Amino acid sequence: MVSDELPQQPPQNDFPGSPASIEMTSLPEPIVMSLYRQYYDLIWQGEKRHEFRRRFLTDTPTTWFVYFNAPVSTLSAVIDLGPAIAAPPERIAEIAEQARPVNGASVLEYVKDLEQAFAIPILRVREYTGLSEHDLRTELGSWQRPHGYVRLNENPPLKAVCGRLLADKPTREMLVDHPNP
């Protein structure tokens, strides 16, 4: 029997290389966000350790159900994120530059008009066979890729679909190393 409930345990943060400053004391907030596949691939290549966003939740870990934008158009990955680092754009760009040289400039361009932006630590990545855009439309009645993020606790039908995604065995998974500064 498959439950429509998402796991109620915070992700483990006791693996080697995990950032000591990330304390997983609360349950992660489940969300869906879109991502272009090329940025996801950078995680697997060890070149991306943070997700950068113009707006995001603060003070809480999240479980991110990843919807890959076209041409992939699937919901097929789950990423555990630590609490977001909210800081001025220049600091967010520094974090981007530390992980991948020359990335700081593009991140700064993306967030430069804001008072604060967000660098969200990526802790663990799991990939699944997933659901296509057609599957999502069939199961939910309608589907439009998220702009920003969707809080699953406020969308029970989508939360149920995401819970069923987790019931499958991942096709691959990894922990993301965060070197000490």
Side-chain angles (χ1 to χ4, degrees), residues 75-129:
L75 180 70
S76 57
V78 180
I79 299 176
D80 293 329
L81 300 169
I85 299 163
E90 295 77 14
R91 175 65 187 124
I92 298 301
E94 288 172 11
I95 293 168
E97 188 71 21
Q98 289 168 0
R100 190 166 152 239
V102 308
N103 193 36
S106 65
V107 169
L108 183 59
E109 182 64 27
Y110 174 57
V111 298
K112 70 180 180 185
D113 61 322
L114 304 172
E115 287 186 30
Q116 77 173 7
F118 300 89
I120 311 129
I122 298 168
L123 304 178
R124 180 173 68 152
V125 184
R126 291 162 283 164
E127 190 171 301
Y128 297 86
T129 303

Side-chain angles (χ1 to χ4, degrees), residues 26-171:
S26 60
L27 294 175
E29 167 97 19
I31 61 169
V32 174
M33 289 192 300
S34 296
L35 185 67
Y36 287 101
R37 184 66 193 222
Q38 73 242 32
Y39 300 118
Y40 176 75
D41 291 341
L42 291 174
I43 299 169
W44 289 98
Q45 295 165 14
E47 295 184 35
K48 181 173 173 65
R49 296 188 300 266
H50 291 83
E51 174 63 14
F52 301 101
R53 293 286 168 152
R54 293 175 58 83
R55 65 182 185 89
F56 200 70
L57 305 170
T58 56
D59 302 323
T60 186
T62 53
T63 298
W64 172 17
F65 291 84
V66 181
Y67 179 77
F68 292 111
N69 291 315
V72 179
S73 303
T74 63
L75 180 70
S76 57
V78 180
I79 299 176
D80 293 329
L81 300 169
I85 299 163
E90 295 77 14
R91 175 65 187 124
I92 298 301
E94 288 172 11
I95 293 168
E97 188 71 21
Q98 289 168 0
R100 190 166 152 239
V102 308
N103 193 36
S106 65
V107 169
L108 183 59
E109 182 64 27
Y110 174 57
V111 298
K112 70 180 180 185
D113 61 322
L114 304 172
E115 287 186 30
Q116 77 173 7
F118 300 89
I120 311 129
I122 298 168
L123 304 178
R124 180 173 68 152
V125 184
R126 291 162 283 164
E127 190 171 301
Y128 297 86
T129 303
L131 300 165
S132 69
E133 184 175 30
H134 174 76
D135 295 336
L136 291 165
R137 282 195 178 119
T138 300
E139 191 148 348
L140 296 168
S142 67
W143 169 256
Q144 185 175 45
R145 76 173 183 85
H147 299 278
Y149 58 87
V150 175
R151 296 175 94 156
L152 292 179
N153 290 333
E154 297 172 5
N155 189 326
L158 184 55
K159 183 177 182 178
V161 169
C162 290
R164 285 191 294 283
L165 180 71
L166 287 178
D168 290 338
K169 184 178 179 181
T171 56

